[in-house]
Each structure stands twice: as C-alpha cells, then as structure tokens.
Amino acid sequence: MRETWLTENQRLVSQDNFGNDLSSVEAATKKHEAIETDIFAYEERVQAVVAVAGELEAENYHDQAKINERKENVLKLWNYLFQLLLARRVRLELSMAIQKIFHDMLLTLDLMDDIRSRLLSEDLGAHLMDVEDLLQKHALLESDINIIGERVNNSIAQSQRFRNEDGPDGSGYKPVEPGTIDERCDTLQQKYKELLELAAERKRRLEDNKRLCQFWWDVAELEHGIKEQEQVLSSTDTGRDIVTVSHLLAKHKNAENNLRDLEKYLDRLDVSGRELQDENIPGSDNIPPRLAEIRDYINKLKELSAARKERLAGGVEYYQFFTDADDVDRYLYDTLRVMSSEDVGKDEGTVQLLLKKHDDVTDELQNFDQHIKVLHAKAESLPQEAREHPDIRQRLDTTLRQKAELENLAQLRKQRLIDALSLYKLYSDADSVESWIDEKGKLLATLVPGRDIEEVEIMKHRFDTLEQDMKNQEAKVANVNDLARQLLNVEHPNSDDILHRQNKLNARWAQLRDMVDQKRNELERAHRLETFRIDCQETVTWIEDKTRVLEDSDALTNDLSGVMKLQRRLSMMERDLGAIQAKLDSLHKEADDIERERPQEAQAIREDIKRIHQVWDILNKKVREHEAKLDEAGDLQRFLRDLDHFQAWLTATQRQVASEEEPQSLAEAEQLLNQHAAIREEIDGYAEDYKKMRAMGDRVTQDQTDPQYMFLRQRLAGLQEGWEELQRMWDNRQHLLSQGLNLQMFLRDAKQAEVMLSQQENYLAKDDVPQSLEQAENQLKRHQDFITTMDANDEKIRAVGMFGDQLCQDGHYAADKIHKKARNIDERRGANREKAQEVLKKLKDALSLQQFLSDCDELREWIEEKMIRAQDETYRDAKTITSKFVRHQAFQSELAANKERLDQLKHAAINLGDDKPEYHGTIDPQIEELATQWDELEKTTEEKGQKLFDANRQQLYVQSIADMKEWATQLENEMTREDQPADLTTVNVAMQKQHLIETEMIKKAQHIDQLMEMEPQLEELHPEELENIRAHRLAVQEQLQRLQAPLDDRRKALERKKAAFQFGRDVDDEKLWISERLVLARAQNLGESLPDCHRLQKNLQLLSNEIDNHEPWINQICNNGQELIDEGHANGPAFEKKIQELRAAWQELKDAVKDRKGDLGESEKAHQFLYDCGEAEAWMSEQELYMMQDERGKDEFSTKNQIKKHERLQSDIDKFADTIRALATKAHKFVEEKSPLSEQITVRQAQIEKLYAGLQDLSKERRKRLEETLELYALHREIDDLLQWIADKEVVAGSQENGQDYEHVQMLQERFQQFARDTENIGSERVANANDGCDSLIAHGHTDAPTIALWKDSLNEAWENLLELMDTRAQILEASRLLHKFYHDCRDCLSRIMEKTHAMPEDLGRDSSSVGALSRKHQNYLKDIAAIGEQVAQIERDAAELRDGYAGDKALDIGSRESEVVKAWRHLRGLCDARTSRLVDTSDLFKFMNMVRDLLLWMDEVKREMNSQERPKDVSGVELLMNNHQSLKAEIDAREENFNACISLGRDLLNRKHYASSEIEKKLIKLTTERAEMMRRWEDRWEYLQLILEVYQFARDAAVAESWLFAQEPYLISREYGRNLEETIKLIKKHEAFEKSALAQEERFLALEKLTTFELKENQHREEETQKRRGPAHIGSPSRSTPAAETSFGAQDDEKRLAHSESSSWRKSLARAPKFDNKDPKGAKQGEAFEGTLIRKHTYESLDRKAANRSWEKLYAVLRQNELAFYKDPKHRDESVHGEPPMALPGCSVNVASDYQKKKNVLSLRLPVGAEYLLQCGSEEDMQRWLTELQVATGQAQLEEASRSQTLPEQGSATKKKGGFFSRSKK
C-alpha cells in the first residue's frame, strides 16, 4: 500500500503545468504546497513501517531478510519522491520569480507614462513662490523617477539570470525564452531614458525662471533696506552728553554696517544680473538700469554717513575721556582705602579672609592696567587742541602716580599678610602637636604588658591606633618645620620665638618616636609569648577531646551499622590528625624562635611542648586500636554486598557496550556518541568503587585457605578481567563511533563542495566572445563576481580536502573511499581556478579591444556628421548667411576642441598593439581611416569658412530682416487658422508647439538686437540705404511685439484644457487600477496550511503597501479636479461626479483589503494552533517512554543521579503546562469565535490535555519511588553525623572557666557566644531537619518506620541536654562579665577624669585671636569630657543593678568605687564651668574694645572729610557737595547698627560686673561723646551748604533777570513813535506786548526781592549784636536797627540785586511743586490692579522733541492688564487726566532715573516711540514695588535691581563746565 501511494505521487510531482502568467503560477504554487503538506503528513506512516520492521528484527522474525528488503524499497521510493518534490518546488519558484519580474515591469511602465505627462507641462511660475512650489513638485517627481530607476535596474538585474543557457540555477530549466526577457528589458530602459531627459529639461527651465524671480525679489528687499538706513543717516541730532552721543554713535555704526552689507548685497546682485543677461534669460534686459539707479542712491547715503560720523566721533571721544578718568580715580581711591589698612588679622581664620580679599583686590588691580592704557589711548586720539589741554595732562599724570603708589603698597601688605598667616598656622599646629604628644606620652607609660593575653591584645590594639595617629601628626610636624624655615628666611620679627618653638617641637617628637619604637618591640614579644602558651593549651585540649571521642566508640563493633558509624568517625579523625600534626610542627618552630628571643622562658616552653607530645602519643595509640577493631568486624560484610552490586552492573554495561551498530547519517552518529559518552561517565563514577573493592578483596583473602575465601578470590579475578574487558570494549566502540561521525561529516561537506564545483564548471563551460563594449563590460563584471564567489567558497572546499587527508592519516576504516573523493574534489577545484583565470584574461583583452573600437566608431560617426555640415553649400543663399557664418565659427571651435580625441586614439592603438600583436590587423586600418577622414574634414571646413567670410554683409542684414518678417507672417496665419484640441494627446502636441514658438520669439528678439548693433557699420558702407533698412527692422520688431499677447492667451487656454483632459485620463486610469486590485482583495482562498496562510498574508501586505503608497496620488487627482471645479470649468458637474466615483471605488478597495486581512489573520491563528498541537503531542510521547522505566538506585549516590535526571525532565514537563494552557485558551477562543476549524481544534485540544494528564501521573509515580529510597539513605547518614556532632559540642559547653578580669571574661564570653550561636543555629536546623525527615517518612508509611522512630527519640534527647548545658554556661559568664566590666569602667573613668583635670590650662589670652584659640580648645575639651559624663551616668546605673545581685563585701566594694568616680566627676565639672565663664568674659571684652576702636577711627575719618574746605564755584558745584555730604549721612545711618551693637555689648558687660568694668565705662562715654560731636558737625555743614546753595541760585536768577532788562532797555529809550497811523498802531501793539511780557517777568523780580535764608540769618545776627551793644535800655526800640543793617550789608546786596538780578522762577515753581503727604495711598495690589499715588512729569514726546508741558503733577495711577492709566484722584476714576488713553506697556522700558538728581525715588518710563515720563514715588520701598510691577508689565526679561534711594550725579558732570575743544553753551 505504501509503495503504491509513493509511486502515484512520484508520477504526480513529475508534471510541469505552471501556466504563462502570474496568476496561473500562483495557482500552481498553491497546488504544490497542498501536495507537500500531504507528503509530509505521510512521513509518519513511512516511519511506522520502519519501526515495525525494527520490532520484527528485534524479535528475530523468521523472514527477516524479506522484511528488510521491502523496508529498503519503501525508503528508496520515499527518498526519490522527496527529490522529485524538491526539484518541482525549485522549478515552480523560478517560474514564480520571472512572472513577478514581468508584473513589476508592467507596473513600472504605467508609472513612467503617468510621470511623463506631468513633465510635459509648460507652467514655469509667475513669481518666486510659484516657481519654488513647482520646483518642490519637480523634486518629488525626480524622487519618483529615481525610485522608478531602481525598480528598472532591479527588474533587469533580476531577469538576467533567466537568460543563461543552462537556466537560472544551472539545471537547464528555462521558465521563459531569453528573447522575451531582452525585449521587455529594452523597452523598459528606453522608456526610462526618455523620462530622464524630459525631467532634466524641465528642471533646467524651472531653475532659470527661479533665478530671475529671486533676483527681482532681492532687488526689492535691497531698496527697502536702503530707505530704512536713509532715515537714520539723515537725522540732525548729535546728542547732549556721553550717553546720548554714544547711543547715537552706536545707531550710526549699525547704520554704516547695514549700508556696507547692502552695498555687498548690491555687488552680488550685479554679478547675478550679469549672469542672467549672459544666459539670455527672458526678462533680464531691465536689470542694468535698475542696479545703476540703486548704486547712485547708496553712494549718496555714504557721503551723508561720513559727514554725520565725523560730527558724532568728536563729541563721544571728549566726553568719554573724562568719564573714564573719573571711573579710574574712583577705583584707585577705593582700592587705596583697602590697601592702607593696618589690620593683619587676629588668628589664622581672619588672616585667610584678609589674604583672600587682598588677592582679589590685587587681581583686579593688575587687570585695571588695561583701563589706564585705554585712558591714555583715548587722550592721544583726541584732536591736538583738546589733547594739549592742561586738565587732561594733569589728570593722566595723577592717575599714573596713584597707580604706582598703590602697587607698592599692595606688595607690602600681601607680604605682611602671608607672614602673619604662616606665623598663626605655625603656632596653631605646634600647640596641637605638643598637646597630642603630652597625651600620648602618658598613654605609653600605662602600656606595660603582663602575663594575660587579653590585656596584651588590648594594649596592642591601642598601640596600633597610636601609630596611625602618629602618621597623621607627622604631616603637621613637617608643615610646622616648613613654615618655620620660610619665616626664618624672610627674617620675621618673631624669628627667635619661631626657632625656639621649632626646636622644642622637633625634640619632643623625636623623643616620642623613640618611646613608640621601644614600646612596639616590647608588646610584640609579650603578645607572641602569650599566644604561644594559649596555642599550646588549646592543642592539648583539642587532642584530649579527640581521645575522649575515641574512648566513647569502644562499643560500636557489634553490628554492621555500628561498624559503619565507627568507620565514619575514624575517617573524620584522620583529617583531624593531619591538622594536629601541622599544628605541632608550627608550635615547634614558634618555640625555637621564642627561645632565641627570651631565653629565660625556655624551660617553660619546653614543658608545654612535652605535655603536648604526651597526649599526642595517647591519641595515636587509640586511633590504631580502633582501626584494628574496624578492620576485623565490618570489612567483609560491606565488601560482599558491594561485590554483588558491582558484578550486576558490570554485566549490564558490557551488554550495552557490545553493540556493533554503525551510524548511517550525521544525526545518528551524534546520537550514538552522546549515548556512549553517558556510559563513560557511569564507568568513571564506578572506577573509585572498583579500586576500593579490589584493595579490600586482596586484604580479606590474603593468607586465607578456607574454600569460601578461595571462591571469593576466583570471583575477584573474574571481576578484574571483566573490568579490563569493559574498558577495552568502550575504547573500541568509542573509536568506531568517532570514525563514523567523522565519515558522515566528511560526506556532508564533500557533497556541498561537489555542488559548488559543479556550479563553477557549468559557468566556466560557456565560451561567449563579446561582440560589443556593453557585452564585454557585462561579461567581465559577471566573471569578477564569479571569481569573488569562488574565493569565498575556496576555503570551504580546501577544508574538505584537509579533513579527508587527516582522516586517512588517522587510519580511518573507510580511508580509500575518503581519499578518492578528496582527491577528486581537489583536482576539480584546481582545474576551475586555472580556467577562471584564463577566462578573466581573455575578457580583459576583449574589453580593451571593444573599448578601442567603440571609441573609433564614435569618432568616425562624429567626423561623418561634421563632414556633412562642412560640405553644406547653403552659404550661397544670402537669406541665411549670417546664421551660417556664426554657426560655422562655433563649428571650427568644436573641431579644434575634438582634435585631442584622435591623438588619444592613436596613442591607445600603439599601446594595445604592443601588448597584443594579434590585434594589429584590426587596429591599424581603423587609425588610418580616421586620420584620413580628419584631414579631409579640416580642409573642407577651412574652405567653407573663407567663402562665408567673403559674403556680403548688407545682404546678411537685409536677409535676416526678411526672414523674421516672413516668420512673423506665417505665425499670424497659423494662429488664425489653428484648430481646437479635442483630447489630451492633441493638447500636449499643441503645448509643445507653443513652447517652440515662444522660444523662437525670444531668439528673434535677440537677433534684432544684434542687427541694431550692425547698423553703424552699414551706415559707413551704405549711408543712403540706412533709413530704409532701419524702417524694415522697426516694422518687423513691432510685428513681433503684437504677436506676444495672443501667444500668452493661447498658452493659458492650452494649459486650462490640458488640466481638464489630464484629470479625465487620470480618473479613468485609477479606476482601472482599483478594479484590478479589488479582484485580489476579494479573493476567497484563506490557505490550506500554515505556510500557505503566511504566503497569502505576505501577498496581502504587499498589496496594502502598494495601496498606501498610491493614496497620495488619488488625493492629488481629486484635488486637481476640485481646482478645476473651483475655477468654474464648464464640465464642473461631470468632474464632481468623477471625483465621487473615484473616492467611492478607493474606499471600497481599502475596505476589501481590511476585511481580507482580518480573515487571513483568523485563518493563520487556527492553522498555527493545529501545528502547535502536533509539536506538543510528539514531545509528550517521547517523555512517556522514559517515565515507564522502573529502576531504583543501589545507594544514595546513584539514587541522587536518577532524581536529578528526573527533576530535569519534570521541570520540562511543568514548564510545558504553560504551553498546554495557552493551547486551551486559544482553543476556547476559537470555539467562541466560531472559527471554520473549531471542531477540529476542539478534538485536537482534548487529545493533548488527556495525553498531558497521563504524563503528569507517570512522572509523579516515578518521583515518589525515587524519593523514598533517597530519604532513607539520607536520614540514616544525617542522624549518625548529628549525634557525633552533639557529643563534641557537650565537651566545650561543660567548661568551668569564668575569667580572671574583664578582658579575659569578655574574650571567653565572645568565644562562647559565637560557639553557642553557631551550635544553636546549626544544631536547631539539623535536628529540625532530621525530625521532619523522620516524621515525613513515618507519616508516609515507610517500611522502616519503627527504626526511624527510635533514631528520632535518641537524637532529641541528646539535643535537649546540649541546649540546657549551654544555657547554664552563658548565665555564669554574663554575671562574671558584668562585675568585671563595672570594675574596669570605674578604673578607666577615674584615669580619664584625672587626666583631663591636669590638662586644663589657666591662660586666658592676650588678645582676641588668642582668646578665640583658647575658646576653641576649651570647647573641644568640653566635648571630650561630655563622653566622660555619659560614662559616669552608666557607672551609676550599673552599680545600682549590681547591688541587687550581690551582698556582703562585693556590695560594699561596688558602692565605694561608685562614690569615688562621682566625686571626681563633680570636681571636674566645677573647674570647667569656671573656666568657660572667664573665657566668655575675656572674649567679650576684646570684642568690645575692637568695635570701639574701629568706630572711633571711622568717626575721625568722617570728621576729616567734613572739615575739608573745598569751595564750590556755581550751583552745580554746591549740589555735588550736598550729594557727597548726603552720602556721608547714608554711611552714618548704615553704621547705626554697629553703634547699637557696641553699646549693647558694653552695657551687658557692665551688668555682668566684668572685671574690667571701669575701662569699659570709659570707652562707652568716649564713644557716645564722639558720636554726638560727629552728628553736630554734619548738621552744621549741611546747613552751611543749604545757605550757599540759595546764594548761588539767587546770583544765577539775578543774572538772568539782568540780561532781560538789558535786552528791553533799547526799546524803552527808543524815540520812534511812528510816522503814520499804521506804524503808530503797530508800536502800540508792540508796547502792549512788552507790558504783558513785563507783567510775566514781575514774578521773577518779586522772587528776587525775597530775602534768602542767609540774609535773614545775617540780619538776625546783627540785630542780636546791636541789642547786646545797646543793652537793656534799647530793647523797646528795635525799629532803628533796620536802617543800620541796610546801610552796611543790605545796601551792598541791594546794589548787587539791581545790577545782577535774575528771575528765580524755577525756585518758585519748585516751591509750588506737588509733594507727597501722609494721606496719599502707596502702591499696592487692589484686586487684579496695582494702584497708588505718583507725581508725574512728561519730559519727551519723541526722541528729539521735548514735551510742551514739563511740569510735575500729582496723579492717581492704576496698572491693570499691562496698561497704565492716570486719574486726578481715586474719586475721579471714571475720567482720565487731560483725556489721555491708558498707556500700553508691552515693549516699553522702565528703570530707576539715576541721572535725574533734583528729586528722590524717581523712575524713568520710556515708550517705544521715544516718549519719556518721570514718575516720583513716595518712598524707596514704594519705588521698588512700582519698579517690579512695571517691569513685569513691560515684559523685560529680567528684573533690574533697585537703585539706591538717593541717586548720585555722574562723576563726569563736574567736568562738563570745563572749557575744552568740544565745550558748548547751555541751550
């Protein structure tokens, strides 16, 4: 039955009926996949036949030969069927591949046609944005063309392998004819080439139009920028001060830079314009005049800029110099105050701060050189007149002198600070080290080692800590020495003290090091001796413990279990004996070393060694006795049992190894080797058992004559032979299997190598000679790729030969076969290599020849083409003589340029002939023929050029005019009779024709321009005919201009028609495309298997990707149609309908694809589920075979191995449950979703779950059997080991040693605690585990349950006894530890208290720095004794607890020690408190004195500054002095906190009754007195400045009034009264105007008449003096004093007022100016607004225009939503002041008005248009709030810092009054 089925299927798969298109081949592929699925499913039945045959063979069936013959026949048919199936699959895949390539070619052609229609468009864009849009669209088209090119190349490359004569795979099968492939490839390449040419042409035209549009765009931008700069450069404002001049100059520089950039931009535009003209781009004729006009405009602006820059530069240099000079002087003065300080610090910290501050100032001073250089450079850059001014020279000299003095002073101060820092650091480190040396010296004195190891270890630990501290302190000592050397080298004033401290510190440090070295040696010797004694004692105890263990084992030889227990103990004892022996050797060596170091201890050391040897000999004797007992009792019983087990295993293993089966495949060979390796592992595992068994057998049977022993000796001999035979059998089988594996690997590699060699031979068998250059290049490229593949495969082929040779050398049993095949492969490889090199050489030669012939043909064709042009005789016709002559000149240039090609060919011919002489017959005729043709061409060209040159020039001109007129007439006629296009093709033809006409129009226009240039020459030759010729030319030119408008209209009409026809064509094409894809999307085939389903999904994904990529084109078509509808096309409704149909069809296609994708997904899930079920069933069947075995281990080791193997399998089975559950979930889901395969899935899932449940049951049963066996073995071993372990621990727990002191007890307790923790942790776990094991076995009904229960009871009893013994020992040690700890803590605490008491110093310090150092030391001292206090409290608590547990002498001793410690502690605390109080008082005293000294020095400096007698010259000078004086008041106010702090500190010291109270009281009185004097002087000087300010203001106002009077006096003394009525009326009006002016000036004169404060005080002073002189009698008549005063001082003042009086209107206005009062609300948040009262002044309306009304007004301001509104008061918020709208603040700037000095707390608000408002606030806090809110509202990036409450005038303001080169009068 199997043979018949196989034969029928072979006949089925031998048929090739695939079809000739893609759909037919796909159908054939699906059919073939169904056949494959059936055949693969049939494999199990074939394997079943093989399995039945194997079973019959195993059962020795009588007709076995016939069965094997039928089996081989079935396998042969099966293999042949697979080969046929594979071959048919290959042919089917080849057919599918070529059909897919053809399908891709058709799609590519359609896409190229679509793009071609877009490239033929004539729309080039009307402006820049339009052109850029078209270029972007063209770039998209080019990317599409590139993609098409890749598709074309891929299609052609993929189709080339189908042109081979041997077929694409070398088998000779050809899916299609090569001619068909060539035809389709040529068509595809031709179409693609045409598409590239069209794309390049359209891109060039678009780029030209873009350049022209971009040029005009840039020209417009340039003109706009020039006009903007003209507004800046034409301004007449030159500034008022350095700020405004700098601002204007910055704006001017910016304008200049912009102008230069614009000029460069114009140059670039000029170059671009010339390039456009040279390229004759349409519309470029208007470029030169436009650019010339702009250039003239820029030149005028440059002249204007130079003049304005010269004006601004002079002002900024002059003002900037004095501003910079003031800044430099101010900085030098501030720095001088810092450098002249005498303070060098009081301690190390203050010196470091001062040094850091000094370094910062020095760095700033060094960097300040640049500012001085800049100042000198600015002075030199001034004009000659200003540079020689005395003020400038004096200012520069003063600055340099101050700078030099300051640098010298800085160097001196830095050296002083460095020396002070070094000195303070030296003292600090020296004090610290000496204190540490004292403390550690006392510690070393207490470290006296005794006879106790614990005490020695404690001392050694303390000493190690000391050495670590010494390393840290050594660095301090080195630092002190370095500092001392440095200070001595610079000859410090304290050199003697420094040297003394250094020598003292070094001496003490050396003394300490000697003490440390001596103490280290002493401690090491003591520790080594005590350690040796303890080791000796522990070794003795160790040996005695082992001896007792052996004594307890005397009764363990009665049965086999006792013997085994004794054997385990002895094996453990052997390990311990080795460790003890090593310990003895170590002790001997240690004893010898100690004897050499300490001879006085030699006798005691030898006694310890002797005692160890005594107990060691006893232990060895016991061990030998027990070994003899063990040998007599247990050896024979265990030996016989092990011998039986080993004999059975050996027999079974020999049977398994004796198999002669040879592997027939690589997989089978690997499987057999793995099985054989597992046998090797098992044999190695029994090797040790065999050695022990042999040794035991020899020992048991030695010297025995009993028959049973003789029989046993024979069994041992047979066992040895069997063991050796097993080793030989395994080695032979291993060798055979290894060779079999190597043979299969070689055959596999050889087969692969033969396939590769066959492919190479098939390729090399072809001998095609290339007949063209393209063929030669393609063949050479293919051959190079072939050689590359050969090189890659050569290593694999050589490896096959090397592997075969190695097998032959190793003596493989199939060496002849291997050698023959390897040599055959190597020979074929070498032959292929040689032949490949020969073919490569031939192809290279052929390529060189074809390249040469191709170049010759190209040159020959070019010569023939040019010869035709050269022989043209049309120059005789005068109508075209001009163009002929021009073209002929270009033709001659072209000939000269191509002459080099002939020379290169001749050189190449010579080289090729030398290399290949056989090519001479082909090369030489070609060269000779080309040379002849070239000479003939040159001769013909020269003759024609001469003839053209001799032609008549006039005829050329007239003929050109006639030709253009004729062409224009023809064009007019053609435009009148032209037919309307009816379809897309005719429209495209008409568009191309239109483009040609427009191009020709441009050429005609250029030709007319050239003819105009020839007219002067014609005028010289034929002046009488020039007018007629010119008239003809003008007529033709006018005719061409008339044709331009109709041509434009015709082009636009064609473009509209083309868009409509193109839309219709696109819609029809897309509908056809959608209908084709819709058929594929609605296919009903969902796949018959999982691979088939995957294939369908892949095809659908390709279709979906194609649809997604095509969707933008659909949208573009619809958009195009909608544009036509929006433009009002006549067929708008039809277009709308087509768009709807197209969108409906497109949506239908997308829905169909989506539905099919879902159907295929469901089908894939179902087939995947069935496939997973098959895999799961096969795996579980394999596991069932193993679980059915029933084999148990013979001992614990073998049982563990079986369990491990079972666990691995069980883990795999458990993990497989996830797979089963996943399959069940999927099946349930399929059933719920009613999948087409739901019934089949349900049945399959039920089978899988049933099979898995059976597998789980089998696994559990086998695991249970193995675990029972292992648990019994493990429990027995664990209980015996645990009982022995408990006995060892009881010896340690029963010790009675309680310790001699605290350290000893602590050591014992730590050791016992560690012992108890380890014992309890380990023992509890082990006992619990043992009990659990026993209970578990009993509960599960183990067969040995009674014995297990007895083991359990004995184990628990022993463990309870051990725990009770350990608890008792722990309580005894804890009680002893507490008592000894109390004694130890008392001694330690007393010693620490006494040490700290003696270490407390008595010095209180000589200054603040020393007091600070002592305070820090005392704080550290208090921190140290705080720990002692905690220790004392702990001692009290410990004493209370111990008294409760002890009575009698112990309790009295505890109490006495406690009272001693408490008494000493209280005394120490009293001393500390007293010293703390004294240090605080001393520190406060020095702090108070320093504060008083600093304040007194500061007040002296302030007084000196107020006493300066600098006299002002004018009002500005007085105002400057007042501002400076006010700054002193601010400084005094700033020092108020320092005064208060100093006075508070002095009063506090007095209240505390300080020991220096009298001195403190004197200082306080002096400080308050000096402070009151300073304030009085400030008030006096302020009053003086206010008085002289009024005087200078009066003088200024009087001068102004006097000048007005002088100006009006000529009018008043005039005698002109008018000669007639009209003049008299004018004079009357003029006089009335004068009277009004006089009334207006009256207020000024009245203000001048008002007495100043100075005058009032002077009068008052004189009256007081007069009254004093008169005495009491004249008190009643004060009226007489007034005339006297007026005659002396007042009369003179009156005369001055009459002579120099001036109106003081500004003082009156200031008196009338609004001011703040307490009722005015301050700025605050009111809901969403910020409101408050402000005083406003409008200063500027724009940048260069002041406001008409600049008076101050008190207004109510409201800031809401970035708008600021002003009202009269809060009650009139409905109407704004003066009808002003709210000011929008975004874009404005607000800052503190630091340059406005007449009022305080003023803000400057600047608007973007240049307007400025000054806003005065009620206080500095109010100003800060308004500044913050306004800056947030204006949108400034960062909030500026609030300026000082009173802004100072600029330093340069004083210099503005000085005369100079640029000084100007006040406007």
Side-chain angles (χ1 to χ4, degrees), residues 124-133 209-210 213-214 217:
L124 299 180
H127 49 82
L128 181 60
M129 301 302 293
D130 195 9
V131 176
E132 288 180 349
D133 185 40
N209 195 28
K210 178 186 176 183
C213 293
Q214 182 65 49
W217 179 283

Side-chain angles (χ1 to χ4, degrees), residues 661-673 737 739-748 813:
E661 181 183 3
E662 291 184 3
Q664 300 301 322
S665 64
L666 181 61
E668 185 178 355
E670 291 175 348
Q671 182 180 3
L672 291 176
L673 266 178
L737 291 177
Q739 289 186 346
L741 177 62
N742 292 334
L743 176 61
Q744 296 299 326
M745 292 173 62
F746 173 79
L747 293 177
R748 179 198 63 189
Y813 64 88

